[in-house]
């Protein structure tokens, strides 16, 4: 399955790379902080045409046009056509295409592709995690020697205070932090040992589905900030870490 998914996701990356004059193809969804471009829609439409035939009977659960179906039943593709749309619109070149395939609510395959760096992260449940075909592993660094990533739950401003409180607690225990603006890539950064931890108070299934499988297959740990499993059908908080920092969450005021 991964061998069939990967060329399709790479081809979708060409749509991202071909983008030009992006601001004039951009529209506000709910506010100036919540944008969609014609490229998000083009990538999603491309994936919606190409992916479902790989798993007959599957549903397509995409960010821009979600089918009215439960991604926790049967085969389901869970897709963020462009994760990091704000970066994309602003030419910051830190965005990715995120595709997961779940069966009865269990993540089976995950692919996250950064077309700018030509980095393709992939994982199969029980089969390990890879970057451009080479095995990856979370780092062994403790937080005191580490850098953490975070997201600011931009569409849920009510999480501003807890986000900043948690960031401060982690910053005091670490070397530094990053807010890079594409959650799927933030998760892959933990998976391949570039960062030690990541958190965000509110993410959608298409942001975290593929990246969470890639982290666990890379030997890392993912949960909600309450310590529970990530549901696939709903928004939730996300905490991801390497193994040595797994228990840091218990020491924090969340
Ligand atoms: C967003 C990015 C961002 C995160 C937001 C997400 P989008 O996805 O992953 O880093 O902070 O919570 O919604 O809207 O660019 O696909
Ligand atoms: Ca996203
Ligand atoms: Ca998106």
């Amino acid at each position: 399955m991964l061998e069939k998914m990967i060329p399709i996701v790479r081809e979708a990356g060409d749509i991202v790379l071909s983008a030009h004059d992006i601001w004039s193809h951009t529209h506000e969804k709910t506010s100036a902080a919540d944008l969609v471009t014609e490229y998000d829609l083009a990538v999603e439409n491309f994936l919606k045409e190409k992916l479902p035939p790989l798993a007959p009977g599957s549903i397509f659960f995409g960010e821009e046009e979600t089918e009215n179906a439960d991604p926790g039943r049967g085969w389901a593709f869970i897709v963020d056509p462009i994760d990091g749309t704000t970066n994309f619109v602003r030419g910051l070149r830190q965005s990715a295409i995120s595709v997961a395939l779940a069966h009865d609510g269990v993540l089976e395959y995950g692919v996250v592709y950064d077309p700018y760096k030509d980095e393709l992260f992939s994982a199969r449940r029980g089969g390990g995690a890879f970057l451009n075909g080479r095995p990856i592993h979370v780092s062994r660094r403790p937080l005191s020697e580490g850098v953490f990533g975070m997201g600011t739950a931009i569409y849920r401003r009510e999480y501003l205070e807890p986000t900043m409180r948690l960031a401060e607690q982690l910053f005091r225990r670490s070397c530094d932090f990053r807010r890079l603006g594409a959650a799927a890539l933030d998760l892959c950064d933990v998976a391949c040992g570039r960062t030690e931890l990541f958190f965000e108070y509110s993410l959608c299934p298409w942001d975290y589905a593929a990246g969470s499988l890639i982290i666990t297959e890379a030997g890392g740990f993912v949960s909600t900030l309450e310590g529970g499993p990530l549901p696939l059908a709903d928004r939730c908080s996300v905490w991801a870490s390497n193994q040595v920092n797994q228990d840091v969450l218990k020491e924090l005021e969340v």
Side-chain angles (χ1 to χ4, degrees):
M1 178 58 76
L2 271 181
E3 279 171 21
K4 292 181 192 155
M5 287 165 69
I6 287 172
I8 294 172
V9 177
R10 280 188 176 277
E11 202 179 330
D14 292 339
I15 301 175
V16 174
L17 293 179
S18 72
H20 54 87
D21 203 10
I22 303 175
W23 275 113
S24 62
H25 296 92
T26 300
H27 312 278
E28 287 184 12
K29 282 205 274 190
T30 56
S31 71
D34 187 6
L35 304 174
V36 63
T37 75
E38 285 161 31
Y39 296 101
D40 296 69
L41 302 174
V43 171
E44 182 155 313
N45 288 337
F46 173 81
L47 294 173
K48 197 172 184 174
E49 182 194 325
K50 301 281 181 181
L51 291 172
L54 302 184
S58 59
I59 66 148
F60 186 90
F61 196 72
E63 176 178 10
E64 305 305 340
E65 219 182 293
T66 295
E67 276 178 14
N68 194 13
D70 177 0
R73 293 179 72 137
W75 287 101
F77 285 96
I78 303 168
V79 173
D80 194 338
I82 300 183
D83 181 48
T85 294
T86 298
N87 285 344
F88 174 66
V89 170
R90 293 171 176 277
L92 288 165
R93 299 172 69 84
Q94 171 76 6
S95 306
I97 296 162
S98 177
V99 175
L101 179 56
H103 187 246
D104 286 341
V106 178
L107 290 165
E108 297 288 347
Y109 304 95
V111 176
V112 173
Y113 181 46
D114 174 349
Y116 299 109
K117 292 190 190 139
D118 190 24
E119 288 190 335
L120 187 134
F121 297 87
S122 62
R124 176 173 59 80
R125 185 166 67 89
F130 299 86
L131 165 52
N132 288 345
R134 294 198 173 161
I136 52 172
H137 206 274
V138 290
S139 82
R140 293 182 203 284
R141 274 181 294 276
L143 187 58
S144 57
E145 295 163 21
V147 167
F148 70 94
M150 60 177 277
T152 44
I154 34 183
Y155 311 124
R156 292 291 168 111
R157 298 280 162 147
E158 65 270 29
Y159 291 118
L160 173 63
E161 282 179 13
T163 296
M164 294 306 163
R165 270 203 308 273
L166 188 51
E168 181 179 345
Q169 294 174 70
L170 288 168
F171 182 65
R172 288 184 187 283
R173 290 167 161 80
S174 67
C175 297
D176 202 354
F177 72 95
R178 296 288 181 272
R179 195 292 189 248
L180 297 176
L185 290 177
D186 293 331
L187 293 170
C188 291
D189 281 341
V190 175
C192 70
R194 291 173 181 159
T195 59
E196 279 59 51
L197 271 174
F198 168 78
F199 83 88
E200 183 155 357
Y201 265 86
S202 178
L203 284 173
C204 290
W206 44 79
D207 301 311
Y208 62 74
S212 64
L213 180 66
I214 291 167
I215 290 203
T216 50
E217 288 300 322
F221 174 79
V222 237
S223 70
T224 64
L225 283 165
E226 294 76 40
L230 302 182
L232 273 189
D234 214 348
R235 285 184 163 274
C236 63
S237 58
V238 174
W239 166 268
S241 78
N242 61 9
Q243 267 171 20
V244 278
N245 293 309
Q246 183 173 338
D247 288 335
V248 169
L249 182 55
K250 294 182 189 144
E251 299 160 16
L252 302 168
E253 204 182 301
V254 175

